């Protein structure tokens, strides 16, 4: 075979290899993105859309906060994207986060029992007067519409989803991926029988993911649902929603869980606002508050609280014990991994606020909480 003929064959083979590589890349992308359409969830339609339209929070096709807010605030001279990629912050711990497996349920199963099990990020179990309420459960490896890209867990869940005890209700604060996870929801449908209590519109996502209609309870702010001796109330928050390009097509909320004798408040995601004092006046005092302390930045100051603001909100709410959530598990902001809890501990001491900082999986008995021991500092 002559040299020119060999070059022709090589070019043909090279072109074929490039085409095969291109097809393989496309196939790989398609495989990676196969679950994305389902992960985006559903959209408001029919009776659900009609109910949303009647909400005081809904106008011009979307839900709104009580006050004007912006998800990003201009910061002249600062490049947030560059800081995200090249910033020097210590956004991950230096060693493994210590995990605990919750011991058996407290021996005191009376109408006064109250404890919290924190699983990481915003996922927690409220054990109140013999009932169990699971909040914002996320057990997936990533909080993202894709299983291949997006924020990945810093630590694993301390227990498997199927190892959870039977729960009486599942509360969802809003539809962001770090609070509402398709695989976790589907796992709970398979392994639990509890209803899902969600803000208006979020039921559309659950519908698409196969949650039976009778297990979906949607509430507007100030609406309550009675369940096995508990009163669960959706209360205001200052945040936003969205799983795709469309924003604010579903509502966001905080939650009040009240038994006959004990009360719990959970912020969901929120900036600091005057609604906390109103919630405290109407529903407080609270035995314990579960407060968002992480993923803040001066670029989005009105939709996530700084730790000092979380302490102020806790006092507005007339809270007893403060248990921080929304930190340690996913890297969602630019601050150091341990900065939220360091700032929280300092502010709690300065303002004489009772504080418990559990390890993931650790049960906190509200009437006898463990002393804060700074466990995170050795791995920060």
């Amino acid at each position: 075979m002559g040299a020119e003929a060999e070059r022709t064959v090589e070019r043909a083979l090279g072109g074929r290899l490039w085409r095969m590589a291109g097809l393989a890349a496309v196939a790989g992308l398609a495989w990676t993105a196969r679950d994305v359409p389902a992960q985006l969830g559903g959209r408001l339609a029919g009776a659900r859309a009609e109910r949303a339209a009647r909400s005081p929070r809904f106008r011009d096709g979307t839900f709104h906060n009580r006050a004007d807010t912006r998800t990003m605030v201009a910061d002249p001279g600062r490049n947030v994207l560059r800081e995200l990629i090249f910033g020097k912050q210590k956004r991950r711990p230096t060693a493994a986060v210590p995990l605990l497996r919750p011991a058996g349920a407290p021996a005191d199963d009376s109408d006064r029992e109250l404890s919290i099990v924190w699983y990481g990020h915003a996922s927690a179990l409220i054990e109140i007067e013999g009932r169990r309420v699971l909040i914002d459960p996320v057990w997936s490896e990533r909080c993202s519409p894709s299983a291949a890209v997006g924020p990945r867990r810093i630590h694993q869940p301390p227990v498997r989803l199927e190892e959870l005890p039977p729960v009486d209700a599942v509360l969802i604060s809003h539809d962001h991926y770090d609070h509402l996870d398709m695989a976790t929801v589907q796992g709970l449908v398979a392994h639990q029988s509890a209803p899902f209590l969600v803000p208006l519109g979020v039921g559309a996502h659950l519908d698409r993911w196969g949650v039976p209609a009778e297990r979906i309870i949607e509430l507007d702010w100030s609406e309550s649902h009675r369940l096995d001796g508990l009163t669960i109330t959706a209360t205001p928050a200052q945040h936003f929603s969205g799983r795709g390009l469309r924003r604010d097509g579903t509502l966001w909320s905080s939650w009040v869980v009240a038994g006959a004798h004990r009360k719990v408040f959970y912020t969901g995601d929120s900036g600091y606002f005057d609604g906390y004092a109103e919630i405290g006046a109407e529903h407080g005092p609270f035995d314990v508050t579960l407060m968002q302390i992480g993923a803040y930045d001066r670029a989005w100051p009105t939709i996530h609280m700084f730790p000092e603001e979380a302490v102020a909100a806790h006092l507005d709410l007339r809270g007893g014990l403060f248990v921080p959530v929304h930190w340690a598990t996913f890297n969602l902001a630019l601050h150091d991994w341990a900065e939220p809890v360091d700032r929280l501990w300092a502010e709690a001491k300065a303002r004489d606020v009772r504080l418990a900082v559990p390890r993931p999986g650790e049960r906190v008995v509200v009437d006898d909480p463990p002393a804060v021991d700074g466990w995170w500092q050795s791995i920060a």
Side-chain angles (χ1 to χ4, degrees), residues 291-317:
M291 307 294 290
Q292 168 250 304
I293 66 162
Y296 51 80
D297 193 275
R298 66 180 188 270
W300 49 88
T302 61
I303 57 169
H304 275 191
M305 285 187 286
F306 293 86
E308 296 80 6
E309 291 177 318
V311 172
H314 170 85
L315 294 171
D316 289 347
L317 289 159

PDB file of all heavy atoms in Angstrom, residues 291-317:
ATOM      1  N   MET A 291     -32.859  26.069  63.753  1.00  0.00           N
ATOM      2  CA  MET A 291     -32.592  27.320  63.063  1.00  0.00           C
ATOM      3  C   MET A 291     -31.528  27.148  61.985  1.00  0.00           C
ATOM      4  O   MET A 291     -30.459  26.588  62.230  1.00  0.00           O
ATOM      5  CB  MET A 291     -32.113  28.382  64.062  1.00  0.00           C
ATOM      6  CG  MET A 291     -33.040  28.584  65.256  1.00  0.00           C
ATOM      7  SD  MET A 291     -34.652  29.268  64.821  1.00  0.00           S
ATOM      8  CE  MET A 291     -34.195  30.940  64.370  1.00  0.00           C
ATOM      9  N   GLN A 292     -31.810  27.666  60.795  1.00  0.00           N
ATOM     10  CA  GLN A 292     -30.842  27.668  59.700  1.00  0.00           C
ATOM     11  C   GLN A 292     -29.698  28.626  60.024  1.00  0.00           C
ATOM     12  O   GLN A 292     -29.926  29.786  60.342  1.00  0.00           O
ATOM     13  CB  GLN A 292     -31.525  28.096  58.403  1.00  0.00           C
ATOM     14  CG  GLN A 292     -30.584  28.409  57.258  1.00  0.00           C
ATOM     15  CD  GLN A 292     -30.553  29.888  56.946  1.00  0.00           C
ATOM     16  OE1 GLN A 292     -31.587  30.492  56.686  1.00  0.00           O
ATOM     17  NE2 GLN A 292     -29.367  30.488  56.953  1.00  0.00           N
ATOM     18  N   ILE A 293     -28.448  28.121  59.957  1.00  0.00           N
ATOM     19  CA  ILE A 293     -27.308  28.992  60.266  1.00  0.00           C
ATOM     20  C   ILE A 293     -26.279  29.052  59.145  1.00  0.00           C
ATOM     21  O   ILE A 293     -25.368  29.876  59.198  1.00  0.00           O
ATOM     22  CB  ILE A 293     -26.589  28.571  61.563  1.00  0.00           C
ATOM     23  CG1 ILE A 293     -25.924  27.193  61.405  1.00  0.00           C
ATOM     24  CG2 ILE A 293     -27.534  28.596  62.753  1.00  0.00           C
ATOM     25  CD1 ILE A 293     -24.861  26.903  62.451  1.00  0.00           C
ATOM     26  N   GLY A 294     -26.354  28.181  58.131  1.00  0.00           N
ATOM     27  CA  GLY A 294     -25.310  28.115  57.125  1.00  0.00           C
ATOM     28  C   GLY A 294     -25.753  28.564  55.751  1.00  0.00           C
ATOM     29  O   GLY A 294     -26.928  28.853  55.515  1.00  0.00           O
ATOM     30  N   ALA A 295     -24.789  28.616  54.826  1.00  0.00           N
ATOM     31  CA  ALA A 295     -25.009  28.991  53.424  1.00  0.00           C
ATOM     32  C   ALA A 295     -25.408  30.456  53.262  1.00  0.00           C
ATOM     33  O   ALA A 295     -26.162  30.805  52.375  1.00  0.00           O
ATOM     34  CB  ALA A 295     -26.034  28.078  52.765  1.00  0.00           C
ATOM     35  N   TYR A 296     -24.859  31.309  54.111  1.00  0.00           N
ATOM     36  CA  TYR A 296     -25.133  32.749  54.034  1.00  0.00           C
ATOM     37  C   TYR A 296     -24.015  33.443  53.257  1.00  0.00           C
ATOM     38  O   TYR A 296     -22.914  32.905  53.052  1.00  0.00           O
ATOM     39  CB  TYR A 296     -25.208  33.340  55.445  1.00  0.00           C
ATOM     40  CG  TYR A 296     -24.024  32.994  56.309  1.00  0.00           C
ATOM     41  CD1 TYR A 296     -22.804  33.669  56.206  1.00  0.00           C
ATOM     42  CD2 TYR A 296     -24.099  31.937  57.222  1.00  0.00           C
ATOM     43  CE1 TYR A 296     -21.710  33.318  56.981  1.00  0.00           C
ATOM     44  CE2 TYR A 296     -23.005  31.587  58.007  1.00  0.00           C
ATOM     45  CZ  TYR A 296     -21.820  32.275  57.882  1.00  0.00           C
ATOM     46  OH  TYR A 296     -20.741  31.919  58.636  1.00  0.00           O
ATOM     47  N   ASP A 297     -24.278  34.646  52.825  1.00  0.00           N
ATOM     48  CA  ASP A 297     -23.265  35.480  52.171  1.00  0.00           C
ATOM     49  C   ASP A 297     -23.837  36.883  52.039  1.00  0.00           C
ATOM     50  O   ASP A 297     -25.059  37.050  51.933  1.00  0.00           O
ATOM     51  CB  ASP A 297     -22.913  34.930  50.787  1.00  0.00           C
ATOM     52  CG  ASP A 297     -21.654  35.557  50.213  1.00  0.00           C
ATOM     53  OD1 ASP A 297     -21.737  36.643  49.608  1.00  0.00           O
ATOM     54  OD2 ASP A 297     -20.569  34.962  50.386  1.00  0.00           O
ATOM     55  N   ARG A 298     -22.956  37.871  52.010  1.00  0.00           N
ATOM     56  CA  ARG A 298     -23.445  39.242  51.839  1.00  0.00           C
ATOM     57  C   ARG A 298     -24.020  39.464  50.441  1.00  0.00           C
ATOM     58  O   ARG A 298     -24.692  40.468  50.203  1.00  0.00           O
ATOM     59  CB  ARG A 298     -22.322  40.237  52.117  1.00  0.00           C
ATOM     60  CG  ARG A 298     -21.155  40.220  51.158  1.00  0.00           C
ATOM     61  CD  ARG A 298     -20.118  41.269  51.565  1.00  0.00           C
ATOM     62  NE  ARG A 298     -19.050  41.425  50.580  1.00  0.00           N
ATOM     63  CZ  ARG A 298     -17.924  40.732  50.573  1.00  0.00           C
ATOM     64  NH1 ARG A 298     -17.715  39.813  51.532  1.00  0.00           N
ATOM     65  NH2 ARG A 298     -16.998  40.948  49.649  1.00  0.00           N
ATOM     66  N   ALA A 299     -23.782  38.528  49.505  1.00  0.00           N
ATOM     67  CA  ALA A 299     -24.374  38.627  48.177  1.00  0.00           C
ATOM     68  C   ALA A 299     -25.843  38.215  48.163  1.00  0.00           C
ATOM     69  O   ALA A 299     -26.551  38.505  47.199  1.00  0.00           O
ATOM     70  CB  ALA A 299     -23.582  37.777  47.180  1.00  0.00           C
ATOM     71  N   TRP A 300     -26.299  37.504  49.197  1.00  0.00           N
ATOM     72  CA  TRP A 300     -27.730  37.137  49.283  1.00  0.00           C
ATOM     73  C   TRP A 300     -28.206  37.306  50.731  1.00  0.00           C
ATOM     74  O   TRP A 300     -28.672  36.365  51.378  1.00  0.00           O
ATOM     75  CB  TRP A 300     -27.986  35.724  48.759  1.00  0.00           C
ATOM     76  CG  TRP A 300     -27.096  34.627  49.274  1.00  0.00           C
ATOM     77  CD1 TRP A 300     -27.275  33.879  50.395  1.00  0.00           C
ATOM     78  CD2 TRP A 300     -25.890  34.114  48.661  1.00  0.00           C
ATOM     79  NE1 TRP A 300     -26.267  32.955  50.544  1.00  0.00           N
ATOM     80  CE2 TRP A 300     -25.404  33.071  49.491  1.00  0.00           C
ATOM     81  CE3 TRP A 300     -25.185  34.439  47.502  1.00  0.00           C
ATOM     82  CZ2 TRP A 300     -24.247  32.359  49.184  1.00  0.00           C
ATOM     83  CZ3 TRP A 300     -24.025  33.727  47.215  1.00  0.00           C
ATOM     84  CH2 TRP A 300     -23.575  32.709  48.042  1.00  0.00           C
ATOM     85  N   PRO A 301     -28.156  38.506  51.278  1.00  0.00           N
ATOM     86  CA  PRO A 301     -28.391  38.709  52.710  1.00  0.00           C
ATOM     87  C   PRO A 301     -29.845  38.611  53.143  1.00  0.00           C
ATOM     88  O   PRO A 301     -30.104  38.468  54.340  1.00  0.00           O
ATOM     89  CB  PRO A 301     -27.869  40.134  52.932  1.00  0.00           C
ATOM     90  CG  PRO A 301     -28.082  40.815  51.616  1.00  0.00           C
ATOM     91  CD  PRO A 301     -27.800  39.768  50.585  1.00  0.00           C
ATOM     92  N   THR A 302     -30.787  38.667  52.215  1.00  0.00           N
ATOM     93  CA  THR A 302     -32.194  38.691  52.625  1.00  0.00           C
ATOM     94  C   THR A 302     -32.872  37.333  52.541  1.00  0.00           C
ATOM     95  O   THR A 302     -34.042  37.208  52.920  1.00  0.00           O
ATOM     96  CB  THR A 302     -32.996  39.690  51.770  1.00  0.00           C
ATOM     97  OG1 THR A 302     -32.940  39.291  50.386  1.00  0.00           O
ATOM     98  CG2 THR A 302     -32.441  41.098  51.919  1.00  0.00           C
ATOM     99  N   ILE A 303     -32.162  36.300  52.058  1.00  0.00           N
ATOM    100  CA  ILE A 303     -32.816  34.999  51.878  1.00  0.00           C
ATOM    101  C   ILE A 303     -32.216  33.891  52.730  1.00  0.00           C
ATOM    102  O   ILE A 303     -32.790  32.806  52.817  1.00  0.00           O
ATOM    103  CB  ILE A 303     -32.820  34.574  50.399  1.00  0.00           C
ATOM    104  CG1 ILE A 303     -31.389  34.529  49.851  1.00  0.00           C
ATOM    105  CG2 ILE A 303     -33.705  35.481  49.569  1.00  0.00           C
ATOM    106  CD1 ILE A 303     -31.266  33.871  48.496  1.00  0.00           C
ATOM    107  N   HIS A 304     -31.043  34.136  53.353  1.00  0.00           N
ATOM    108  CA  HIS A 304     -30.460  33.230  54.335  1.00  0.00           C
ATOM    109  C   HIS A 304     -29.976  34.068  55.506  1.00  0.00           C
ATOM    110  O   HIS A 304     -29.433  35.161  55.313  1.00  0.00           O
ATOM    111  CB  HIS A 304     -29.276  32.454  53.759  1.00  0.00           C
ATOM    112  CG  HIS A 304     -29.659  31.214  53.007  1.00  0.00           C
ATOM    113  ND1 HIS A 304     -28.732  30.271  52.618  1.00  0.00           N
ATOM    114  CD2 HIS A 304     -30.848  30.759  52.574  1.00  0.00           C
ATOM    115  CE1 HIS A 304     -29.332  29.288  51.969  1.00  0.00           C
ATOM    116  NE2 HIS A 304     -30.622  29.568  51.923  1.00  0.00           N
ATOM    117  N   MET A 305     -30.126  33.546  56.707  1.00  0.00           N
ATOM    118  CA  MET A 305     -29.689  34.282  57.887  1.00  0.00           C
ATOM    119  C   MET A 305     -28.212  34.060  58.173  1.00  0.00           C
ATOM    120  O   MET A 305     -27.691  32.957  58.006  1.00  0.00           O
ATOM    121  CB  MET A 305     -30.502  33.851  59.121  1.00  0.00           C
ATOM    122  CG  MET A 305     -31.903  34.401  59.145  1.00  0.00           C
ATOM    123  SD  MET A 305     -32.747  34.022  60.699  1.00  0.00           S
ATOM    124  CE  MET A 305     -33.085  32.269  60.490  1.00  0.00           C
ATOM    125  N   PHE A 306     -27.546  35.110  58.631  1.00  0.00           N
ATOM    126  CA  PHE A 306     -26.243  34.982  59.247  1.00  0.00           C
ATOM    127  C   PHE A 306     -26.452  34.396  60.654  1.00  0.00           C
ATOM    128  O   PHE A 306     -27.531  34.527  61.237  1.00  0.00           O
ATOM    129  CB  PHE A 306     -25.553  36.339  59.322  1.00  0.00           C
ATOM    130  CG  PHE A 306     -25.190  36.901  57.978  1.00  0.00           C
ATOM    131  CD1 PHE A 306     -26.104  37.639  57.242  1.00  0.00           C
ATOM    132  CD2 PHE A 306     -23.932  36.678  57.436  1.00  0.00           C
ATOM    133  CE1 PHE A 306     -25.778  38.149  55.998  1.00  0.00           C
ATOM    134  CE2 PHE A 306     -23.587  37.186  56.197  1.00  0.00           C
ATOM    135  CZ  PHE A 306     -24.509  37.921  55.465  1.00  0.00           C
ATOM    136  N   PRO A 307     -25.454  33.745  61.223  1.00  0.00           N
ATOM    137  CA  PRO A 307     -25.641  33.110  62.544  1.00  0.00           C
ATOM    138  C   PRO A 307     -26.142  34.079  63.615  1.00  0.00           C
ATOM    139  O   PRO A 307     -26.983  33.711  64.442  1.00  0.00           O
ATOM    140  CB  PRO A 307     -24.249  32.568  62.864  1.00  0.00           C
ATOM    141  CG  PRO A 307     -23.630  32.314  61.532  1.00  0.00           C
ATOM    142  CD  PRO A 307     -24.128  33.422  60.644  1.00  0.00           C
ATOM    143  N   GLU A 308     -25.634  35.302  63.615  1.00  0.00           N
ATOM    144  CA  GLU A 308     -26.077  36.278  64.614  1.00  0.00           C
ATOM    145  C   GLU A 308     -27.563  36.621  64.426  1.00  0.00           C
ATOM    146  O   GLU A 308     -28.287  36.822  65.408  1.00  0.00           O
ATOM    147  CB  GLU A 308     -25.223  37.540  64.523  1.00  0.00           C
ATOM    148  CG  GLU A 308     -23.758  37.323  64.853  1.00  0.00           C
ATOM    149  CD  GLU A 308     -22.949  36.730  63.711  1.00  0.00           C
ATOM    150  OE1 GLU A 308     -23.492  36.584  62.579  1.00  0.00           O
ATOM    151  OE2 GLU A 308     -21.765  36.410  63.943  1.00  0.00           O
ATOM    152  N   GLU A 309     -27.999  36.653  63.171  1.00  0.00           N
ATOM    153  CA  GLU A 309     -29.418  36.903  62.913  1.00  0.00           C
ATOM    154  C   GLU A 309     -30.267  35.718  63.366  1.00  0.00           C
ATOM    155  O   GLU A 309     -31.400  35.905  63.844  1.00  0.00           O
ATOM    156  CB  GLU A 309     -29.636  37.162  61.430  1.00  0.00           C
ATOM    157  CG  GLU A 309     -29.052  38.466  60.937  1.00  0.00           C
ATOM    158  CD  GLU A 309     -29.223  38.649  59.443  1.00  0.00           C
ATOM    159  OE1 GLU A 309     -29.030  37.665  58.692  1.00  0.00           O
ATOM    160  OE2 GLU A 309     -29.561  39.774  59.023  1.00  0.00           O
ATOM    161  N   ALA A 310     -29.740  34.508  63.222  1.00  0.00           N
ATOM    162  CA  ALA A 310     -30.484  33.333  63.684  1.00  0.00           C
ATOM    163  C   ALA A 310     -30.700  33.384  65.191  1.00  0.00           C
ATOM    164  O   ALA A 310     -31.771  33.004  65.691  1.00  0.00           O
ATOM    165  CB  ALA A 310     -29.743  32.056  63.290  1.00  0.00           C
ATOM    166  N   VAL A 311     -29.705  33.858  65.938  1.00  0.00           N
ATOM    167  CA  VAL A 311     -29.874  34.018  67.382  1.00  0.00           C
ATOM    168  C   VAL A 311     -30.931  35.074  67.673  1.00  0.00           C
ATOM    169  O   VAL A 311     -31.798  34.892  68.549  1.00  0.00           O
ATOM    170  CB  VAL A 311     -28.535  34.371  68.051  1.00  0.00           C
ATOM    171  CG1 VAL A 311     -28.742  34.728  69.524  1.00  0.00           C
ATOM    172  CG2 VAL A 311     -27.557  33.201  67.928  1.00  0.00           C
ATOM    173  N   ALA A 312     -30.908  36.184  66.938  1.00  0.00           N
ATOM    174  CA  ALA A 312     -31.926  37.218  67.122  1.00  0.00           C
ATOM    175  C   ALA A 312     -33.318  36.669  66.811  1.00  0.00           C
ATOM    176  O   ALA A 312     -34.292  36.942  67.528  1.00  0.00           O
ATOM    177  CB  ALA A 312     -31.615  38.425  66.236  1.00  0.00           C
ATOM    178  N   ALA A 313     -33.428  35.871  65.741  1.00  0.00           N
ATOM    179  CA  ALA A 313     -34.717  35.272  65.399  1.00  0.00           C
ATOM    180  C   ALA A 313     -35.191  34.323  66.491  1.00  0.00           C
ATOM    181  O   ALA A 313     -36.381  34.293  66.841  1.00  0.00           O
ATOM    182  CB  ALA A 313     -34.604  34.534  64.065  1.00  0.00           C
ATOM    183  N   HIS A 314     -34.278  33.519  67.029  1.00  0.00           N
ATOM    184  CA  HIS A 314     -34.610  32.609  68.126  1.00  0.00           C
ATOM    185  C   HIS A 314     -35.194  33.376  69.318  1.00  0.00           C
ATOM    186  O   HIS A 314     -36.190  32.943  69.920  1.00  0.00           O
ATOM    187  CB  HIS A 314     -33.349  31.848  68.532  1.00  0.00           C
ATOM    188  CG  HIS A 314     -33.474  31.049  69.790  1.00  0.00           C
ATOM    189  ND1 HIS A 314     -33.977  29.768  69.824  1.00  0.00           N
ATOM    190  CD2 HIS A 314     -33.146  31.357  71.083  1.00  0.00           C
ATOM    191  CE1 HIS A 314     -33.957  29.318  71.062  1.00  0.00           C
ATOM    192  NE2 HIS A 314     -33.461  30.256  71.847  1.00  0.00           N
ATOM    193  N   LEU A 315     -34.595  34.499  69.652  1.00  0.00           N
ATOM    194  CA  LEU A 315     -35.116  35.321  70.749  1.00  0.00           C
ATOM    195  C   LEU A 315     -36.450  35.930  70.381  1.00  0.00           C
ATOM    196  O   LEU A 315     -37.368  35.999  71.213  1.00  0.00           O
ATOM    197  CB  LEU A 315     -34.096  36.396  71.113  1.00  0.00           C
ATOM    198  CG  LEU A 315     -32.783  35.859  71.711  1.00  0.00           C
ATOM    199  CD1 LEU A 315     -31.755  36.975  71.828  1.00  0.00           C
ATOM    200  CD2 LEU A 315     -33.029  35.210  73.063  1.00  0.00           C
ATOM    201  N   ASP A 316     -36.615  36.383  69.135  1.00  0.00           N
ATOM    202  CA  ASP A 316     -37.913  36.895  68.679  1.00  0.00           C
ATOM    203  C   ASP A 316     -38.994  35.828  68.818  1.00  0.00           C
ATOM    204  O   ASP A 316     -40.152  36.128  69.157  1.00  0.00           O
ATOM    205  CB  ASP A 316     -37.840  37.313  67.209  1.00  0.00           C
ATOM    206  CG  ASP A 316     -37.023  38.571  66.970  1.00  0.00           C
ATOM    207  OD1 ASP A 316     -36.707  39.283  67.948  1.00  0.00           O
ATOM    208  OD2 ASP A 316     -36.697  38.839  65.802  1.00  0.00           O
ATOM    209  N   LEU A 317     -38.630  34.600  68.526  1.00  0.00           N
ATOM    210  CA  LEU A 317     -39.578  33.484  68.563  1.00  0.00           C
ATOM    211  C   LEU A 317     -39.929  33.041  69.975  1.00  0.00           C
ATOM    212  O   LEU A 317     -40.814  32.225  70.163  1.00  0.00           O
ATOM    213  CB  LEU A 317     -38.995  32.293  67.803  1.00  0.00           C
ATOM    214  CG  LEU A 317     -38.906  32.431  66.281  1.00  0.00           C
ATOM    215  CD1 LEU A 317     -37.878  31.474  65.712  1.00  0.00           C
ATOM    216  CD2 LEU A 317     -40.275  32.206  65.645  1.00  0.00           C
TER     217      LEU A 317
END
